[in-house]
Amino acid sequence: MTISRRSLLASSAAAGSLLLADAVPAFAAKPAKQPNILFIMADDLGYADLSCYGRRDYKTPAIDKIAEEGMRFFQGYANSAVCSATRTGLMTGRYQNRLPIGLEEPLVIRNVGLPPEHPTLPSLLRAQGYQTALIGKWHLGQLPDYGPLKSGYDHFWGFRMGGIDYFRHGNSRGSDLWDGDVQIDEAGYLTDLFGNKAVEMVGEMAAAKKPFFMSLHFNAPHWPWEGPDDEAESDRIAAKKDPYGIRAFDGGSLKTYAAMVTRMDYQVGRVMDALRAAGIDNDTIVVFTSDNGGERFSDTWPFSGKKSELLEGGLRIPVIIRWPGQVKAGSTSEQVMITMDWLPTLVAAAGGKPDPAFPSDGIDLRPALGGHAAEPRTLCWRYMNLDQEACRQGDYKYLKILDQTFLFNVVEDPLERANLKERMPEKYAELKAVFDAWDATMLPLDPEAHTAGFSDNQMADHFGIDSPITTSVKKAD
């Protein structure tokens, strides 16, 4: 029997969610006027890295203003503790573990990516008459098989890999800056280039008199840690033949990190000014968030853990939405939400609905945006690195790291210090069973997937550079 790729994807989705409470509600009729949508995503920004979420050593006034005019979520989660897996959840509105790409991180060794035949947030919005554009980071597969223009975007200006240098716009494999499917060379600090292009695109899309969906996915504050005045650091990394700064962990500082985040904030402000100048700011939904928890210089308070860990600090992210006329200014929400909720929410706002062959695992957030009481959620995560598992149901969270297992009340104990497994064995067993049942509906872990990062030999083989292992062998010879 021959099974098509689309049939395989559809049958995986048709397994359905175990979590009946998470079912997507019926969608409203198509609105009289479809809102524009600007979706801004930072890269590796920690939960408390914005001043409106508690950062104290610098200010983010432009993003804070979006929060003042909209809503902050205090229980926002990423679909994963790493980048491409969360972006898969954003694009598909589903658990990334349903797709082979969701088992892989980083996406540079094997040819995996987001299947072009899978419905996506931009393709569903385009079906509702939207213009679509991605400015910034893709990281969901390489040409010729995968790319933004194959997955629902009309326009793409940015980079395809997981991270690139802020000044050289590439790594040891060469340049990674693209206009559509054409490789380009343009001088400048990457965050500024994205801001410039977003301002230009707002003007063009506003002039077209059609609703638009723009993804503005910054590289900041992902390493290499280079502020707008740190071109010398870029030269230093290049001299070391250091592929996109992976081994440059001696670089950076809190001061540099602050410069990176505040520069991104400045560019966000410019884009918001462009919306106002075009007279469409009150007709535009603006979302600001991050792809996963923070890394080395991030503030994840009041949580412990960082990127790549299923502790709260690796999963909790800032989430802000501004929607004039629909979301009360200066409001907050305790609704537990996750990245994959944006597809059903934004598609519904545009008057559409998900493809029934690929039902969303997320929920429509519009009741929460309207101020309704928070609904209970059950969410699960899995990450091969350190054999990690997690499941949150209500206020409780099951967590496994290596051979250690835990039960936490993450509302009363956000630092995850008091293991309640022995005190509440029935609750522990309940959440472990929920995770196992969820896990059985996902693709099995792939031992060949590179979810733990590069080994020294992989670095040497793939990038053609000396690793500690190859260097020691040469010395021995």
Side-chain angles (χ1 to χ4, degrees):
M1 180 176 64
T2 301
I3 301 176
S4 71
R5 200 174 180 189
R6 181 178 175 89
S7 297
L8 180 63
L9 292 170
S11 62
S12 173
S17 174
L18 294 168
L19 315 174
L20 298 180
D22 291 357
V24 179
F27 291 103
K30 188 171 183 178
K33 184 173 184 178
Q34 295 167 296
N36 304 308
I37 303 169
L38 171 62
F39 193 95
I40 308 171
M41 179 176 276
D43 198 343
D44 293 356
L45 189 76
Y47 177 82
D49 277 343
L50 304 173
S51 45
C52 62
Y53 273 85
R55 190 84 192 205
R56 294 168 292 177
D57 53 330
Y58 58 78
K59 298 294 184 182
T60 51
I63 300 171
D64 291 355
K65 184 174 178 60
I66 298 174
E68 291 169 4
E69 298 175 346
M71 173 181 285
R72 285 174 295 163
F73 282 86
F74 288 147
Q75 300 203 61
Y77 283 94
N79 257 63
S80 175
V82 289
C83 167
S84 56
T86 291
R87 292 166 197 269
T88 301
L90 171 66
M91 290 287 285
T92 65
R94 300 163 65 208
Y95 280 114
Q96 66 277 7
N97 314 88
R98 295 188 183 278
L99 296 167
I101 184 178
L103 310 179
E104 199 93 5
E105 176 82 17
L107 306 180
V108 291
I109 303 292
R110 301 195 302 177
N111 185 33
V112 294
L114 182 62
E117 63 269 29
H118 197 298
T120 62
L121 177 56
S123 73
L124 292 168
L125 289 170
R126 187 162 67 181
Q128 295 300 310
Y130 276 66
Q131 310 168 76
T132 59
L134 168 61
I135 297 168
K137 181 172 176 175
W138 168 243
H139 201 201
L140 291 174
Q142 300 295 307
L143 290 173
D145 297 319
Y146 311 102
L149 302 185
K150 296 176 181 290
S151 289
Y153 287 109
D154 300 321
H155 309 282
F156 169 57
W157 201 97
F159 65 101
R160 300 175 184 273
M161 297 286 287
I164 60 175
D165 187 272
Y166 285 80
F167 293 93
R168 295 175 180 270
H169 313 145
N171 52 50
S172 64
R173 303 173 71 193
S175 174
D176 188 26
L177 193 61
W178 301 79
D179 185 349
D181 288 341
V182 178
Q183 202 165 18
I184 60 173
D185 183 14
E186 186 161 338
Y189 185 62
L190 196 61
T191 303
D192 293 343
L193 295 182
F194 292 154
N196 292 343
K197 193 64 182 179
V199 168
E200 176 185 327
M201 187 66 71
V202 164
E204 292 177 1
M205 288 182 153
K209 304 299 182 182
K210 289 177 59 179
F212 65 78
F213 170 63
M214 182 193 300
S215 298
L216 175 54
H217 295 178
F218 286 101
N219 193 38
H222 192 290
W223 44 252
W225 291 292
E226 299 168 352
D229 299 320
D230 289 336
E231 192 164 0
E233 177 69 5
S234 173
D235 295 338
R236 186 187 75 85
I237 292 174
K240 293 175 66 176
K241 297 182 180 179
D242 194 356
Y244 52 33
I246 286 178
R247 295 294 183 240
F249 291 139
D250 59 327
S253 65
L254 285 170
K255 182 178 179 181
T256 299
Y257 189 81
M260 296 172 74
V261 175
T262 55
R263 191 64 162 209
M264 176 178 64
D265 179 76
Y266 169 73
Q267 294 300 343
V268 168
R270 291 185 63 226
V271 178
M272 295 301 296
D273 287 342
L275 293 175
R276 285 185 280 270
I280 57 173
D281 56 316
N282 287 331
D283 300 322
T284 303
I285 298 172
V286 178
V287 175
F288 182 91
T289 189
S290 180
D291 60 347
N292 46 248
E295 224 194 334
R296 179 179 175 186
F297 298 106
S298 293
D299 187 348
T300 60
W301 180 260
F303 312 113
S304 59
K306 298 284 187 180
K307 175 184 177 180
S308 81
E309 299 169 349
L310 297 188
L311 291 159
E312 293 290 282
L315 293 169
R316 290 286 192 109
I317 51 176
V319 179
I320 303 169
I321 180 169
R322 178 188 183 273
W323 188 358
Q326 301 294 325
V327 174
K328 182 180 177 182
S331 58
T332 62
S333 177
E334 292 292 343
Q335 175 66 57
V336 174
M337 59 81 60
I338 191 169
T339 308
M340 62 188 176
D341 294 340
W342 289 118
L343 184 144
T345 302
L346 297 176
V347 170
K353 58 184 178 180
D355 186 325
F358 299 86
S360 177
D361 295 309
I363 66 170
D364 185 346
L365 294 170
R366 288 179 298 166
L369 298 178
H372 288 238
E375 297 182 11
R377 295 294 298 276
T378 300
L379 299 173
C380 294
W381 297 267
R382 185 182 72 187
Y383 188 48
M384 186 184 295
N385 191 16
L386 302 181
D387 190 21
Q388 297 179 80
E389 303 173 351
C391 178
R392 176 169 175 179
Q393 188 174 69
D395 293 348
Y396 291 93
K397 178 182 173 184
Y398 156 74
L399 176 66
K400 177 187 177 187
I401 302 177
L402 294 174
D403 59 350
Q404 300 295 313
T405 57
F406 309 87
L407 177 69
F408 297 115
N409 183 319
V410 292
V411 174
E412 295 181 355
D413 177 27
L415 278 172
E416 295 172 285
R417 288 295 184 264
N419 189 359
L420 304 175
K421 181 175 70 170
E422 302 300 330
R423 295 177 60 184
M424 304 178 68
E426 293 181 356
K427 176 61 71 173
Y428 169 82
E430 177 186 350
L431 264 65
K432 178 65 167 69
V434 170
F435 174 85
D436 290 342
W438 169 84
D439 191 40
T441 69
M442 299 295 127
L443 292 179
L445 290 171
D446 182 353
E448 298 299 318
H450 299 284
T451 58
F454 295 110
S455 71
D456 287 318
N457 286 333
Q458 288 166 353
M459 289 283 289
D461 292 343
H462 187 69
F463 289 109
I465 64 170
D466 287 339
S467 72
I469 291 178
T470 56
T471 299
S472 64
V473 169
K474 287 180 180 179
K475 288 181 178 177
D477 290 342

